[in-house]
Amino acid sequence: MASKVIHAIYNDDDILLNAVKKVRDEHYHIEEVYTPFPVHGLEKAMGLADTRIAITSFLYGLVGLSVAIIMMNYIMIQDWPQDIGGKPSFSYIENMPAFVPIMFEMTVFFAAHLMVITFYMRSKLWPFKKAENPDVRTTDDHFLMVVDTGNHDIEQVSSFLSSTGALEISIHENDEDH
């Protein structure tokens, strides 16, 4: 089912931020905001929840640390113990100070690489994916706020958005398949 959305174009980030606050105060639903650069405070003004990606980073670091411990224990203690510098490899605990740099590097390696993969999957950024940017000017110097009309009168919402400082207002069909 297709619904109507309004695209409001702004040319200044401060005007956009104030407009988002006004639109939220009027209880209109903002579908998305497209900006050419990060606008500080926009996520709070839109009412978006804090990200939980730091939790996944910590968990990925724990996975990397676990893999490092298991790998070093197997390679250096069980599979092929070596006498390096007069220190025999009888147990993992005795040799753990020498393994700390490897544990640190594997923790960072796993956290960084798995975070990138998680970010791309969460953002649905697949290789060769077609861009979903509705107006090419938002990659240069304009800002676009997409407002869902819902049960509201389209003319009333359009005039309200004009009063918030929008330069252009256009009405589009919104397909809910993405």
Side-chain angles (χ1 to χ4, degrees), residues 111-178:
H113 286 79
L114 292 174
M115 285 298 300
V116 169
I117 293 168
T118 301
F119 173 75
Y120 283 139
M121 289 176 63
R122 182 72 178 98
S123 301
K124 297 179 183 159
L125 293 174
W126 313 114
F128 310 109
K129 182 179 185 224
K130 186 176 179 279
E132 294 179 6
N133 194 348
D135 193 328
V136 75
R137 293 177 293 176
T138 61
T139 61
D140 188 20
D141 62 350
H142 284 72
F143 304 86
L144 172 67
M145 179 173 23
V146 180
V147 180
D148 185 17
T149 57
N151 299 339
H152 304 288
D153 180 33
I154 294 175
E155 294 300 322
Q156 179 185 3
V157 177
S158 297
S159 63
F160 173 73
L161 289 171
S162 302
S163 70
T164 63
L167 298 176
E168 294 178 26
I169 294 179
S170 56
I171 300 167
H172 299 273
E173 292 289 328
N174 183 27
D175 295 327
E176 296 179 4
D177 58 347
H178 52 121

Side-chain angles (χ1 to χ4, degrees), residues 72-88:
M72 289 181 301
N73 185 47
Y74 176 73
I75 293 171
M76 296 300 291
I77 306 300
Q78 294 174 3
D79 185 42
W80 194 345
Q82 299 175 31
D83 187 356
I84 300 174
K87 298 177 184 175

